[in-house]
Amino acid sequence: MESSISTWVREAVDRVRVIDMHTHLFPPSFSSLWRSGADHVLTYHYLIAEAIRAGGRSPEWFYGLPLREQAAWVYEQIFARTSPLSEAAMGVVAIAQAFGVDLQQDGIEGLREALQHEPSEPYAERVFQLAGVDQVVMTNDPLDPAERAHWLKGDPVHPRFLAALRLDPFLGDWGALRTCLAAAGVSVSPAADAPDLAEVRRFLKDWIGRMRPVYLAFSAPPEFTYPSKEASGRVLDACILPACRSNGLPLALMIGVRRRVNPRLREAGDASGRANLAAVERLAASNPDVRFLVTVLSREDQHELVVLARKFANVIPFGCWWFVNTDTLTREISALRLELLGPTFVLQHSDARVLEHLVYKWKNARALAVDVLVHKYTKLAEEGWRVTRDEIERVVERLFRGNFLDVVRSV
Ligand code: RAT
Ligand code: ZN
């Protein structure tokens, strides 16, 4: 029985076509935002933080280099001078292997030759096939001028790329939001009063119509609280939640990020902190008609999130985010979720920033799913349950795609 279970799980996990519910990828038509190729793979911000630790140069020196030299320097620190043992470094090795590059022999030049830097639909297709991914959800910020320009020009969005309307500035400081809105041609007063909130609602309606997102989303610091009398609390209650309701869209919350604790590291300078999950509890309780996809950044919050999800069916935990997307912690978190929720969560998302990330992030997610599911199904068989191939396939399908599709379709 044990060997059939292991074969059935492996085969189901190998075969499943993933829906990746959170990435930072863009389609080839959004050319200025497209990221692929060896130099981008090597200058992933996860690796920049590690290379600067190892290499003893300042962030200012590093960011002063052109992209190719940054990549070569990261390669030198992490791959040439030591073993690439971190999660992100091993990811590069896995990408090289998938593209048939012997990194130890061919080095950075071998990787540059095998991976394509320019936007290209056939190349995107090849990477999606290599990773076994069907569709990815982007992170779409209507307040980012570069991104806005692509949408306003009406650049076509390839069907493999789904949109998600990302609203971080709407939950931040009202003054900063005013400045961003003004740059987008929307004028609101310092008061954040009823007419201002009506303007924000109009802006969201406009962008939901243009992007056709599958969900609305924001990331928040550990201090995120609900309800709140601050302008951000009013924006949430009077604009974002009503937009979710009227468009039948879920809201994704990513909580626990402390932005730029080391600003010199730029994108690599964010850290994590413990979230206030009582706020999520109040949000879920006061808005039973909205579904919340929730992920938390600190390891310490994972158990509390799962317990909360047991109490509120409109809370759906998703993925192992950023600093908890590691070999060790993804297994711990996914087993914990299965133990307390059954297969009613979204197993993983990639957070890919560079196209080829899909390859190693989903390879890792598949490996973790095999380990955790073989263990659980073996135990289930020992308890006397006649495990079938069919039920394994259905659970794998739910964890890698079906649960997410149910959330975005059924609200
Ligand atoms: O994982 C990351 O790359 C982070 O920089 C963030 O993008 C995070 O995932 C986010 O979406 O805020
Ligand atoms: Zn992200």
Side-chain angles (χ1 to χ4, degrees), residues 22 24 139 166 254 321 351 353:
H22 172 59
H24 297 265
T139 297
R166 179 79 173 243
M254 307 170 71
W321 180 26
D351 235 314
R353 283 185 174 263

Side-chain angles (χ1 to χ4, degrees), residues 311-333:
K311 309 300 143 192
F312 296 94
N314 59 334
V315 170
I316 302 97
F318 78 91
C320 300
W321 180 26
W322 200 347
F323 308 117
V324 292
N325 185 359
T326 70
D327 205 29
T328 312
L329 296 180
T330 53
R331 280 163 176 75
E332 173 183 295
I333 295 166

Side-chain angles (χ1 to χ4, degrees), residues 22 24 44-46 139 166 168 219 254 257 259 267 270 321-322 349 351 353 361:
H22 172 59
H24 297 265
Y44 189 21
H45 68 82
Y46 293 26
T139 297
R166 179 79 173 243
D168 291 14
S219 74
M254 307 170 71
V257 53
R259 298 281 180 199
E267 221 171 30
D270 299 345
W321 180 26
W322 200 347
H349 63 272
D351 235 314
R353 283 185 174 263
K361 302 245 190 184

Side-chain angles (χ1 to χ4, degrees), residues 204-205 208-209 212-213 216 241-250 411:
L204 293 183
K205 184 168 178 231
I208 289 171
R212 303 244 153 259
L216 272 48
L241 290 164
C244 289
R245 267 185 211 104
S246 60
N247 293 282
L249 293 171
V411 185

